[in-house]
Amino acid sequence: EAEVTLKSPELGTYPYTVNWRASPAGFERALVLKAPLGGSTVESFKFLHYAKEMVKYKARIEAAPGAPKGGVDFFLEASEVSASGCVNEPVPTELGVKFQPSMLGECRALLVISGPGGGEYKALLTGFAQPPQPQGPITMISGKQGVVEFRNPFDKPTDFSLQVDNPCFMVPMRTQRIDPQKSVQINVNFKSDRSQGGRLIISCDKVSTPWIFFLKGEV
């Protein structure tokens, strides 16, 4: 509350009482993230801290209104972030959000950041899962074993088919069941008297596009 006085030589003096009321902030700008199935990406959510005191904000991810899943494909790089007191200008503050899709298509969630004395900030998270992207090349020496890191992106155990398109490269098994969200090391052997390339192709019945890892064999 404050007193404001307007003065005019012709009209006189007009005193007013001004009342301010701070209301919760509306939705911040939406954060859009894109990542291939089996991969991930991290983007920074940025907001302005206006309080004069230092505030420790806590963050959480909730289900977006009308979304079928509760943001299971979004993760916080840190659950807390601190902002120093504002002197003349608002303090820019940011928090990392990771998107690791478990299915193709679009998913949504709600990011909520709140702290005592600093208020609450909300932003809609939108993630777009893209088809698997080629990776590599992965270099290996003839007569020695190479390793390909692969993660099951789905939320259920899944059977994957493994094949190579060059007989100089070999994998120990043609199929492998991998637990949900688990990473495994797939051994690849290369044997040849000359350097050449190949591909490890990993597929399953849940997506039409396979995961392709380029292989580079050297002697």
Side-chain angles (χ1 to χ4, degrees):
E1 183 177 300
E3 298 292 333
V4 177
T5 302
L6 302 179
K7 293 183 179 180
S8 170
E10 294 81 10
L11 302 177
T13 301
Y14 297 85
Y16 293 90
T17 299
V18 180
N19 292 299
W20 284 281
R21 184 179 66 179
S23 59
F27 277 89
E28 300 291 313
R29 184 176 180 179
L31 188 65
V32 178
L33 302 95
K34 299 179 181 181
L37 189 63
S40 63
T41 187
V42 177
E43 297 285 351
S44 293
F45 171 73
K46 300 178 181 180
F47 64 99
L48 295 176
H49 168 73
Y50 291 91
K52 294 183 178 180
E53 298 80 21
M54 189 276 287
V55 173
K56 179 179 287 187
Y57 290 93
K58 292 186 178 181
R60 66 184 186 274
I61 293 176
E62 300 179 350
K69 299 199 306 182
V72 296
D73 291 345
F74 296 96
F75 305 89
L76 295 171
E77 292 289 278
S79 60
E80 295 182 350
V81 60
S82 296
S84 58
C86 171
V87 180
N88 296 316
E89 298 291 334
V91 180
T93 311
E94 61 183 60
L95 183 73
V97 179
K98 181 179 181 180
F99 174 55
Q100 185 172 285
S102 61
M103 59 183 294
L104 288 176
E106 176 184 341
C107 66
R108 296 186 177 187
L110 188 66
L111 173 64
V112 182
I113 302 175
S114 60
E120 184 176 74
Y121 299 82
K122 293 182 178 181
L124 184 65
L125 305 176
T126 303
F128 294 96
Q130 301 167 321
Q133 301 295 310
Q135 301 177 57
I138 299 169
T139 303
M140 54 197 67
I141 306 299
S142 180
K144 295 185 179 180
Q145 198 172 74
V147 174
V148 174
E149 191 85 16
F150 178 75
R151 179 178 60 85
N152 174 13
F154 305 112
D155 55 6
K156 294 181 181 179
T158 304
D159 292 320
F160 293 91
S161 297
L162 315 176
Q163 61 178 341
V164 289
D165 63 355
N166 184 332
C168 293
F169 297 92
M170 294 163 285
V171 290
M173 59 185 71
R174 292 301 182 95
T175 61
Q176 185 170 354
R177 167 162 285 210
I178 305 176
D179 291 333
Q181 300 295 329
K182 181 181 179 180
S183 294
V184 297
Q185 292 185 336
I186 300 173
N187 297 322
V188 181
N189 291 297
F190 172 64
K191 188 175 182 180
S192 177
D193 57 0
R194 64 182 179 87
S195 298
Q196 53 189 296
R199 297 184 303 169
L200 170 63
I201 303 170
I202 303 177
S203 58
C204 70
D205 58 5
K206 293 187 177 181
V207 290
S208 59
T209 303
W211 289 263
I212 295 178
F213 295 85
F214 287 98
L215 309 174
K216 183 179 180 182
E218 296 184 345
V219 295

